[in-house]
Structures are given as structure tokens and as C-alpha cells.
Amino acid sequence: REVQRALLEMKSTDPAAKASGSAGWIPTLSYMELRNMQESLNFISKNSTTGQMECIRGTAIYDSIVCPTGYFKNSEQDVANGCAAVGLKCPPNSTCVCKPCTQAFDVDVFQVVSVAQAAKDVKNKVGCPKMSVCGTTLQRSTILFRVLDNIQRQNLQVSYKLHTLIIQNGTAVAIGNYQYNISLEIAEKGQWLIEVFANGVQISQSPLFIEVQSRDCVAEYGAHHVATAQGECVCDSYSVHSGSKCLSLAWIIPVIVVPVVVFFLVLVWLWLQHQIRKQDSLWLVKPDELQYNNPVEILGRGTFGLVVQAEYRGTTVAVKR
């Protein structure tokens, strides 16, 4: 009461008023704002037995921490190590609290790239902003998202709706510590929209986008493999399929086509030779098939030899000898 009386009697010219930068003190018109603040900070609560509002004294400082709207309390271990993490020393026999709250969405969603990165994102409450590309993957590769409920609701139902060429609905898998996993495999290349729901209500930063890039078929199956629009690995236009491999046309031409062409050229040459021999057989006379009269009948004489009569294949002919 004496403190209250001293404050009410304080004048603007008093040293204490000048030091505090205040003009004076008057009784408040309403304590409602103060009462609301005390309840929101858990300084007072209603006793379920008596029905009376009572002051609450926590057994630990961590239990007394209340974060403002849009902020969420870090884990007890992170709060205990908070000052050391920012390089501040706590005086002996004292308990210090540094940055116990982190600004975050009610529900955070982020891509799981590695276990270590996921643990870091959970600790820092790093969620994907609304309408952002929240994850990148390859066609027909599994992409994993982690959903973190910062409000820490029990038995929360987390579901999603994926919009690709068709709409796919699914439910996230609870993994404990108010965390959930969404595992997806998308065949079509492009950017696809995903909506995330908590107990049937779309979370504040939903919808998000997933970027699906072309499948790396060369790394999986070797050279000359490309991905189709549906993520299947096939041979490119400069190769042909052979077994489990794609053979380049640049290799096939000299190895297969050239021998085939040579083979056909040889066949053509042999056919031409046959035709030539066939034609020559009509004009070339075989000496052993000539039959002479005995004695040989001479038909004439010339400067360079004799012309005699003979029979060739039943026909009388003249032979120059």
C-alpha cells in the first residue's frame, strides 16, 4: 500500500519521475488486460476443485515459459543449452534462458534429404513457405517429407492430396515426437501441387509444390538410354535395343551393315559371272568337241593358215587352223 501511495503522490518534477520518464500515476480503469495477460502466460489458472483463480508456481523454469502467437517453445534440452549456443555465459548459481521460442508455422513441412538434415530442420522448425517448391526428386524415385506438429496435438491425423495427371489422396505415417512422414513416388515430370491437412483442415502454408525432374537413365542403365514422359527408360533415337543394352547406330553401321552390304555385293558379282559364262558358252568353242573328217577336208588356204571342215555339236562348221 505504501508503494501504491507513493506512486500516486509522485509529481512530474520529482527526481524519480524524471529518472523513469513518467509524468505520474493514476488508478487503472480496468484490470482486464492484466488478467488476460496473466492467464495467457499461465501465471494464474482456475482451480478445478475450488473454481477459484490461483497463481501457478512451476517446478521448473521451462514449465513457466510461454511463447507469443506464431512462436513455439523449443525442446527442454535446446532451452537449457540456448545461452551456450549463442556464446553467452550464465553467472554462477543462476539459471539463464536464451531464445527459448522459435517462430514457426503451426505445422511445418520439409523434405527429408538426410537423417542429420531432418533433425536439424526439426530443431530449427524450418518449414516450406506457402506455394514454394518444397522438394525436388527424379521420376519414379521416392521423395520423403517430414511433417512437424509444433502445437503438439495428440492423435493428430495428417493427410495429403497430390495433384498430378490424377489426384492421389493419402495419409501420413506417425513416427513419434509429433512428427509424421509422407512418402511419394511420382512418374510424370513437372511441378505438381500437394495439399497437406491436419485433422481435415488445410495447414496455413499449404499448398506446396514438388518438382519432378527427368530420370537419370544413363546412370541406371548406361549410354543411349533416355526417360519417357512416364519415367520409363528406353533407347534414344540414335540407337537400337539389344538385350538389356542400347547399341549406337554409329557402331552398328560399320559392324553389321557394312558386312551385309559386302555380302550382297559378292552375290551380285557371282551372279554376273554366271551370266557372263552362260553367254560365253554360246560363242566359245571347245576344241575337244570339234569332230574332223578322216582325212581332214581342206576348204581353203590362206596366208596365215588352213580352213578345214569340221562338225560341232551336230553342225558343220569351218575351222581356221
Side-chain angles (χ1 to χ4, degrees):
R1 291 182 178 273
E2 292 182 5
V3 173
Q4 181 183 16
R5 184 173 61 252
L7 291 174
L8 293 175
E9 294 177 354
M10 183 185 297
K11 298 178 181 179
S12 60
T13 56
D14 292 342
K18 293 180 179 180
S20 63
S22 58
W25 294 80
I26 60 174
T28 182
L29 298 178
S30 173
Y31 286 97
M32 184 60 67
E33 290 298 325
L34 176 62
R35 177 66 172 271
N36 294 338
M37 182 190 68
Q38 289 176 329
E39 289 190 40
S40 63
L41 295 178
N42 290 333
F43 286 163
I44 60 174
S45 66
K46 181 181 290 187
N47 188 312
S48 59
T49 303
T50 64
Q52 300 294 320
M53 300 299 295
E54 298 178 353
C55 292
I56 299 175
R57 297 187 180 273
T59 57
I61 292 180
Y62 181 80
D63 297 332
S64 302
I65 296 175
V66 178
C67 297
T69 303
Y71 288 77
F72 296 91
K73 187 163 58 173
N74 297 327
S75 67
E76 190 168 358
Q77 182 179 359
D78 290 339
V79 172
N81 300 328
C83 293
V86 296
L88 298 177
K89 293 183 178 181
C90 190
N93 302 321
S94 301
T95 301
C96 302
V97 176
C98 301
K99 295 184 177 181
C101 302
T102 299
Q103 187 176 14
F105 297 108
D106 291 353
V107 178
D108 280 322
V109 181
F110 53 87
Q111 182 183 2
V112 177
V113 179
S114 66
V115 175
Q117 184 63 41
K120 183 178 179 181
D121 290 341
V122 168
K123 177 180 178 181
N124 297 330
K125 296 178 173 59
V126 180
C128 297
K130 187 172 186 174
M131 298 298 291
S132 67
V133 177
C134 193
T136 303
T137 186
L138 300 178
Q139 292 173 292
R140 295 187 177 274
S141 294
T142 300
I143 183 171
L144 184 64
F145 291 97
R146 182 67 50 81
V147 180
L148 173 64
D149 180 26
N150 291 310
I151 303 178
Q152 299 185 352
R153 289 164 285 189
Q154 298 291 336
N155 301 320
L156 180 67
Q157 296 295 320
V158 178
S159 58
Y160 65 87
K161 180 182 289 185
L162 177 63
H163 299 260
T164 57
L165 298 181
I166 59 173
I167 296 179
Q168 305 176 43
N169 296 292
T171 303
V173 179
I175 61 173
N177 295 325
Y178 308 102
Q179 299 177 43
Y180 305 82
N181 279 345
I182 295 177
S183 180
L184 301 171
E185 182 179 300
I186 305 174
E188 300 85 4
K189 184 175 66 174
Q191 284 193 352
W192 307 108
L193 184 142
I194 182 173
E195 299 174 90
V196 182
F197 302 87
N199 287 337
V201 179
Q202 189 168 195
I203 63 176
S204 60
Q205 69 272 35
S206 176
L208 302 164
F209 284 99
I210 303 173
E211 182 175 351
V212 181
Q213 301 174 351
S214 293
R215 184 177 179 181
D216 190 358
C217 294
V218 173
E220 293 185 48
Y221 297 101
H224 304 295
H225 283 86
V226 294
T228 65
Q230 297 298 318
E232 298 287 347
C233 289
V234 298
C235 295
D236 60 24
S237 57
Y238 303 101
S239 63
V240 294
H241 187 264
S242 176
S244 61
K245 296 182 179 180
C246 293
L247 301 181
S248 173
L249 292 176
W251 179 84
I252 292 176
I253 290 175
V255 173
I256 298 179
V257 176
V258 171
V260 171
V261 172
V262 172
F263 175 75
F264 278 104
L265 289 176
V266 170
L267 289 179
V268 171
W269 181 82
L270 292 174
W271 180 81
L272 289 175
Q273 292 299 314
H274 173 72
Q275 292 297 111
I276 291 173
R277 285 194 299 270
K278 185 177 180 181
Q279 293 296 326
D280 289 346
S281 66
L282 299 176
W283 302 104
L284 294 178
V285 177
K286 296 181 180 181
D288 57 347
E289 293 186 17
L290 290 171
Q291 297 179 1
Y292 299 95
N293 294 330
N294 189 14
V296 176
E297 184 179 352
I298 298 174
L299 299 178
R301 296 177 183 273
T303 305
F304 300 100
L306 299 174
V307 177
V308 299
Q309 179 180 324
E311 185 176 320
Y312 183 73
R313 297 182 180 179
T315 303
T316 301
V317 296
V319 180
K320 185 177 182 181
R321 301 180 67 178

